[in-house]
Amino acid sequence: MARIVIQNLTKKFGAFTAIRDMDAVFADGQVTCLLGPSGCGKTTLMRMIVGLEKPTSGRILFDDRDMGSLPPRKRNVGMVFQYPVMYQTLSVEENISLPLEQDKTLSSSERARRIDEVLDILDMRDKRKLFIGDLDAGSRQKVAVGRAVARRSDIVLFDEPTTNVEVHAKLLLIRAFKLVTQRLRQTIVYVTHDQTEAMTLADRVALMRDGRIIQYDAPAALYDTPATEFAGWFLGNPGMNFPPARVRGGQLETPLSALPLVVTDLGDAGGDLRIGVRPEHVTLTGAPKNGSVPAVIRDMNVTIAGRFVVTLDVEGVTIKAKTDGRPAFGRGATAHLHVDPVHMSLYRDGVRIGSLAGYAE
Ligand SMILES: Nc1ncnc2c1ncn2[C@@H]1O[C@H](COP(=O)(O)OP(=O)(O)OP(=O)(O)O)[C@@H](O)[C@H]1O
Ligand SMILES: [Mg+2]
């Protein structure tokens, strides 16, 4: 196994900087998901790890081995791309076997054992003799995953391997992938711009923006306490609400709460202060309750998961709420909006600075 150490890494294409001064460690035997908007540098970073692209400056190490200008074939890194090259006229097991045959140190019985192990984990034993051309897209990608991991390289990179797979097959593929990584404990870097996929698969998520990793955290931490407004907005569907806040007499006021709030770790009170709250933590009731504020319902949409996203107006500020069932209010009605202070975070100039301790006395 190997951890991936990225030091001061920069990649420029002419005047354009794709990766900026990046420092990171992707832990040994873990799944790190690179998540971020299109063009933020995910593929460029992967191509540098595998050796297809040379850094402009900085270093990449596997454990303490500097990869320097080592060519891809000497790095022992497996890689699965969005459109992997598969041999249509070879069977499933032949496709998995091909890269293993290049390793002359492997006996044929060890090769057979590895193929069998991978087919077993992927639940594809019964498909071993089928031709790739006869499989659906999801099964083909499963074979590509199997082929990449059967080599037992220390590091395996995946660049959006589920993009061309339909939703149901995608779920099966993700489940198979999870089993493979749990069993083989290789160091995996997995690129996606599908946040659900990142949250399901990752031990750690590296959230990228403009060539930088802006947060590297466990999925739950990234979701619950995003370090920046960008992270809060990017994750979640819809993303976090960021209504304004202001400090008066040592207490915090926001349109989200009829009662002033107590803040921890406020420091000085300058800058653009905002409250971050997830739509699923915004509740709506018919009767007022402690701290609730009146809100006018502007719009309502059902989501694919059968939940409702409600757009509300609170003193001219737009807030989104997410409810499990259909809300008991129609468009134009006034409801009482309530957010428990434990679900609020405080942001200053786009950066999370603390949590809220509750209502002021
Ligand atoms: N060979 C190249 N020459 C010039 N610019 C490039 C080259 N490769 C990538 N770029 C630019 O670098 C930026 C990062 O590209 P990259 O492919 O790494 O993004 P990405 O995060 O993988 O995006 P996506 O989610 O769309 O795959 C983009 O603006 C892209 O246009
Ligand atoms: Mg890409």
Side-chain angles (χ1 to χ4, degrees):
M1 292 201 282
R3 63 193 184 124
I4 303 169
V5 182
I6 292 159
Q7 291 178 341
N8 259 310
L9 191 69
T10 293
K11 177 67 188 179
K12 292 187 179 172
F13 295 109
F16 179 80
T17 306
I19 297 291
R20 296 166 193 270
D21 210 14
M22 182 182 284
D23 284 292
V25 177
F26 299 149
D28 193 356
Q30 287 204 341
V31 180
T32 298
C33 278
L34 301 184
L35 180 67
S38 189
C40 71
K42 303 180 297 291
T43 297
T44 304
L45 178 59
M46 299 283 260
R47 287 174 59 81
M48 285 194 282
I49 294 171
V50 79
L52 293 171
E53 203 79 72
K54 227 169 99 69
T56 306
S57 61
R59 303 201 298 169
I60 295 174
L61 300 92
F62 295 168
D63 287 332
D64 46 16
R65 287 169 288 137
D66 189 342
M67 287 300 111
S69 48
L70 221 58
R73 69 194 152 75
K74 296 226 168 121
R75 295 194 181 193
N76 193 25
V77 175
M79 184 143 185
V80 180
F81 291 96
Q82 215 165 315
Y83 303 93
V85 179
M86 303 291 277
Y87 301 94
Q88 305 288 322
T89 56
L90 295 182
S91 70
V92 167
E93 62 180 359
E94 285 165 336
N95 266 279
I96 297 173
S97 179
L98 267 183
L100 300 180
E101 286 164 23
Q102 279 154 28
D103 182 351
K104 301 298 177 207
T105 63
L106 277 188
S107 66
S108 59
S109 61
E110 172 61 13
R111 202 163 62 222
R113 203 191 61 74
R114 286 203 195 171
I115 295 169
D116 201 56
E117 177 183 39
V118 162
L119 288 173
D120 179 43
I121 305 174
L122 294 173
D123 197 20
M124 290 192 83
R125 271 204 169 118
D126 55 334
K127 297 200 171 71
R128 66 195 306 152
K129 300 288 179 203
L130 296 184
F131 292 110
I132 294 294
D134 295 332
L135 300 177
D136 60 80
S139 303
R140 270 203 298 277
Q141 286 298 70
K142 263 166 97 172
V143 179
V145 170
R147 191 173 61 178
V149 299
R151 278 173 58 191
R152 295 283 181 85
S153 31
D154 297 333
I155 295 168
V156 192
L157 309 179
F158 295 86
D159 197 351
E160 312 220 21
T162 64
T163 307
N164 302 296
V165 178
E166 52 92 14
V167 176
H168 176 68
K170 190 164 161 169
L171 290 176
L172 293 176
L173 185 62
I174 289 174
R175 192 175 309 153
F177 183 85
K178 196 87 199 158
L179 285 171
V180 170
T181 56
Q182 279 163 0
R183 281 270 288 273
L184 301 179
R185 294 320 279 172
Q186 289 156 311
T187 303
I188 309 269
V189 185
Y190 188 106
V191 170
T192 176
H193 54 236
D194 179 337
Q195 48 172 289
T196 313
E197 200 168 278
M199 296 313 221
T200 315
L201 286 175
D203 294 306
R204 291 281 182 127
V205 178
L207 180 64
M208 288 181 61
R209 182 189 195 187
D210 296 337
R212 291 196 175 90
I213 293 173
I214 58 164
Q215 193 170 356
Y216 180 58
D217 240 326
L222 187 62
Y223 191 81
D224 294 339
T225 49
T228 56
E229 286 183 22
F230 172 78
W233 166 80
F234 188 77
L235 287 147
N237 190 13
M240 255 187 177
N241 295 291
F242 288 104
R246 63 174 184 167
V247 175
R248 243 208 335 219
Q251 296 172 349
L252 197 80
E253 295 177 351
T254 159
L256 280 190
S257 174
L259 299 171
L261 297 151
V262 178
V263 191
T264 54
D265 321 318
L266 182 60
D268 81 89
D272 177 35
L273 290 179
R274 289 178 183 274
I275 301 284
V277 63
R278 293 253 168 238
E280 50 271 42
H281 293 136
V282 177
T283 60
L284 300 173
T285 52
K289 63 194 243 189
N290 196 27
S292 71
V293 290
V296 180
I297 296 181
R298 292 284 180 228
D299 201 5
M300 207 179 288
N301 290 292
V302 66
T303 69
I304 36 171
R307 301 175 98 182
F308 283 79
V309 174
V310 186
T311 306
L312 299 143
D313 182 295
V314 187
E315 292 177 28
V317 175
T318 300
I319 299 289
K320 304 251 183 194
K322 207 161 161 181
T323 61
D324 273 334
R326 177 182 282 280
F329 317 93
R331 279 193 190 86
T334 298
H336 294 275
L337 176 158
H338 183 260
V339 180
D340 188 326
V342 300
H343 295 305
M344 298 183 192
S345 292
L346 187 62
Y347 290 77
R348 174 192 285 134
D349 297 330
V351 177
R352 188 177 191 277
I353 57 168
S355 48
L356 301 188
Y359 296 117
E361 286 302 307

